[in-house]
Amino acid sequence: MINVVNLEKHFGGENVLNGINTEINKGDVVCVIGPSGSGKSTFLRCLNMLEKPTGGKIIFEGDDLTDKHIDLNAHRQKMGMVFQQFNLFPHMTILDNLTTAPVMLKKRTKQQAQEKALELLARVGLADRAKDYPSQLSGGQQQRVAIVRALCMEPDVMLFDEPTSALDPEMVGEVLDVMKELANEGMTMVVVTHEMGFAREVANRILFLADGVIAEEGTPDAIFNHPQSERLQSFLAKVL
Amino acid sequence: MQAIIDFFQKFVDIFITRGMYQMVLDGLKNTAIITLGALAIGVVIGTLIAVIKYFAEDSKALRPLALLCDIYTTVVRGIPMVVLLMIFYFIILVHAEGIVVGIVAFGINSGAYMAELIRSGINAVNVGQMEAGRSLGLSKMQTMRKIILPQAVRYILPAIGNELIALVKETSVAGYVAVVDVTRALFLIRNNTFQSVVTLTLLAAIYLVIVIILTRLLKLLERRLSTNDKRRKS
């Protein structure tokens, strides 16, 4: 579904990504772990071109997103994204947060969009908050709404950029539960996370990024129980 | 005491008995038309410039246009309003009526200030908002219109209010281009009656009341917008 070919990203003189090659297949739940500054978030943000790669290719469903002439907006509709800081639209009700994009992009009529939004809201346990504004919700609730907002576009893949890092500890669980459920339903997901428990339990593949390259990758069992490289061993020693 | 009674007698005599209140009302109407017209033009020009400059930050094609906008704001802000008004009346819009010249000239002047205001509002909106919009597949323009600008307006509403108040008072120079606004109307009445105290006091009071009313309205609007998105659980 997503083919990452020799992806590079430089900020000024700093090399953040130094040639990343990997493939995300349909139904994959890929967790990206690694020390801070290793380029995890930059890697994820390159996948939907929020960050413009300085080299390499992102092939999404057969189209090269780094091609200047490609219709990025059309492709982004199929790649949902969830941010560390939620980034809900504070001037809109929850329902409007969920329906604005589908209606504007003519995916659905207003009424269809609202029905879909309410149905998804109910599934994350927030049906009664549709008329509220984001600031009236807790962090965990906001992040669940943010996940639903992405889902309302019926994406083929969901990108999560440290979705629980800005949350109070007691709210992490409710967001991870929603993500688990999503994974169980077969959604293709790429998750940058510090939640090793989640990665171990939900991912079918783990990428360990260090110094802008994939230093090691494999199944959760291979990564957590049989780490090969010294980098990964010392990283795991610190976080587990 | 006698002075106050005198004042009111003259006031009644001039404005009611001699019917000059009609001139004041007509003047007020013109002041309102110029102010509202200029405000509309100013907001449109200001938004346009602010958005162009925002987009020009990462589009080389828009750089020349952004430069043009810079020249416009620099030139307009560097010329006194009266001079700008006269230039429009006697050089640029020679065949237009004074009131049209007034709307255009004040609008173009206001646009230059609005542009900077609106730009600061856009910059005050968290960058994550643009990213969230783009990640959903909205174009930059769609995100700007639906997500960024509505939030920017909330940030700069008080400043726009100040701009509006300044604008109302600035229109008092419209008399230079043969528009009888409320200032011009009372100047004319003063020339007719030689009653400086009564006419000028009334004129000052009229502006004061307008400004007070506008301030109140803006406060109300501000409160309504902020309760809309900042209601918190108690």
Side-chain angles (χ1 to χ4, degrees), chain B:
Chain B
M1 196 62 203
Q2 191 54 45
I4 297 172
I5 294 170
D6 245 32
F7 180 91
F8 281 105
Q9 270 175 349
K10 281 178 190 153
F11 186 90
V12 170
D13 176 52
I14 294 170
F15 292 106
I16 297 171
T17 317
R18 292 162 69 179
M20 291 193 189
Y21 72 91
Q22 193 55 50
M23 274 178 81
V24 177
L25 289 183
D26 288 344
L28 265 173
K29 198 180 87 190
N30 284 337
T31 296
I33 290 173
I34 294 178
T35 304
L36 294 179
L39 180 72
I41 293 178
V43 167
V44 170
I45 293 181
T47 309
L48 218 63
I49 290 182
V51 171
I52 287 172
K53 282 182 149 185
Y54 179 88
F55 279 68
E57 278 168 24
D58 43 29
S59 155
K60 284 211 172 74
L62 282 173
R63 294 274 158 81
L65 207 55
L67 184 69
L68 217 63
C69 294
D70 276 336
I71 293 173
Y72 160 80
T73 39
T74 309
V75 169
V76 169
R77 292 209 290 186
I79 300 175
M81 189 56 232
V82 189
V83 180
L84 196 65
L85 192 63
M86 302 281 270
I87 289 175
F88 268 90
Y89 190 63
F90 289 108
I91 304 176
I92 301 176
L93 299 172
V94 195
H95 301 292
E97 264 181 81
I99 192 148
V100 175
V101 174
I103 292 172
V104 172
F106 283 107
I108 282 181
N109 181 60
S110 184
Y113 292 92
M114 290 281 187
E116 286 307 304
L117 264 182
I118 294 170
R119 213 160 74 92
S120 71
I122 290 174
N123 288 337
V125 177
N126 191 307
V127 288
Q129 294 290 310
M130 180 51 90
E131 292 186 345
R134 300 306 306 277
S135 78
L136 289 165
L138 297 174
S139 71
K140 209 170 181 182
M141 198 62 214
Q142 286 171 321
T143 312
M144 177 55 71
R145 208 177 73 227
K146 231 13 204 203
I147 316 287
I148 308 294
L149 283 178
Q151 294 183 60
V153 167
R154 285 162 167 78
Y155 286 125
I156 57 174
L157 205 59
I160 289 186
N162 283 340
E163 177 60 29
L164 175 60
I165 285 166
L167 179 61
V168 175
K169 294 190 289 182
E170 231 169 21
T171 59
S172 60
V173 298
Y176 277 88
V177 295
V179 177
V180 183
D181 70 323
V182 70
T183 298
R184 188 66 173 177
L186 279 149
F187 282 6
L188 289 173
I189 295 169
R190 174 177 163 268
N191 290 344
N192 255 319
T193 59
F194 307 108
Q195 295 297 340
S196 292
V197 178
V198 177
T199 52
L200 294 181
T201 310
L202 176 66
L203 180 55
I206 287 174
Y207 278 111
L208 185 60
V209 169
I210 292 175
V211 170
I212 290 172
I213 292 174
L214 282 178
T215 311
R216 283 284 164 86
L217 285 178
L218 283 158
K219 276 264 155 58
L220 228 69
L221 185 63
E222 229 174 284
R223 205 171 311 153
R224 251 200 59 197
L225 285 179
S226 68
T227 47
N228 243 350
D229 48 80
K230 298 216 175 64
R231 268 182 306 184
R232 292 187 181 275
K233 278 191 284 189
S234 49

Side-chain angles (χ1 to χ4, degrees), chain A residues 7-81:
Chain A
L7 177 64
E8 288 178 25
K9 174 71 186 180
H10 312 299
F11 286 111
E14 198 187 349
N15 300 344
V16 183
L17 299 177
N18 295 313
I20 293 203
N21 290 287
T22 191
E23 201 170 331
I24 317 286
N25 297 308
K26 194 168 161 46
D28 267 356
V29 177
V30 176
C31 279
V32 184
I33 62 172
S36 57
S38 58
K40 305 183 297 286
S41 284
T42 307
F43 164 69
L44 191 79
R45 290 159 57 83
C46 280
L47 293 183
N48 70 348
M49 297 290 287
L50 276 187
E51 219 64 82
K52 302 268 179 284
T54 38
K57 286 185 168 121
I58 309 282
I59 316 283
F60 175 60
E61 297 181 340
D63 296 317
D64 180 5
L65 299 187
T66 60
D67 183 346
K68 277 198 174 67
H69 304 290
I70 201 145
D71 182 0
L72 257 187
N73 296 328
H75 287 85
R76 280 186 177 138
Q77 292 182 32
K78 291 181 264 167
M79 310 174 101
M81 187 162 198

Side-chain angles (χ1 to χ4, degrees), chain A residues 149-218:
Chain A
R149 178 175 67 180
L151 290 176
C152 279
M153 291 301 293
E154 294 185 324
D156 295 338
V157 56
M158 288 280 284
L159 312 175
F160 293 85
D161 187 5
E162 302 197 21
T164 56
S165 297
L167 294 175
D168 291 339
E170 77 265 27
M171 293 171 181
V172 170
E174 62 190 71
V175 171
L176 291 181
D177 285 344
V178 171
M179 291 169 62
K180 260 180 231 171
E181 198 180 318
L182 207 55
N184 290 336
E185 286 164 15
M187 174 61 80
T188 310
M189 294 163 61
V190 184
V191 186
V192 171
T193 187
H194 294 292
E195 298 291 332
M196 296 304 148
F198 175 83
R200 193 195 288 256
E201 186 186 341
V202 182
N204 67 332
R205 195 151 54 94
I206 292 183
L207 307 182
F208 172 64
L209 253 66
D211 301 323
V213 293
I214 298 178
E216 198 164 334
E217 69 173 299

Side-chain angles (χ1 to χ4, degrees), chain A residues 119-133:
Chain A
E119 175 201 318
L120 286 169
L121 265 187
R123 279 180 40 199
V124 300
L126 293 170
D128 54 333
R129 309 309 295 269
K131 292 274 182 287
D132 289 336
Y133 285 85

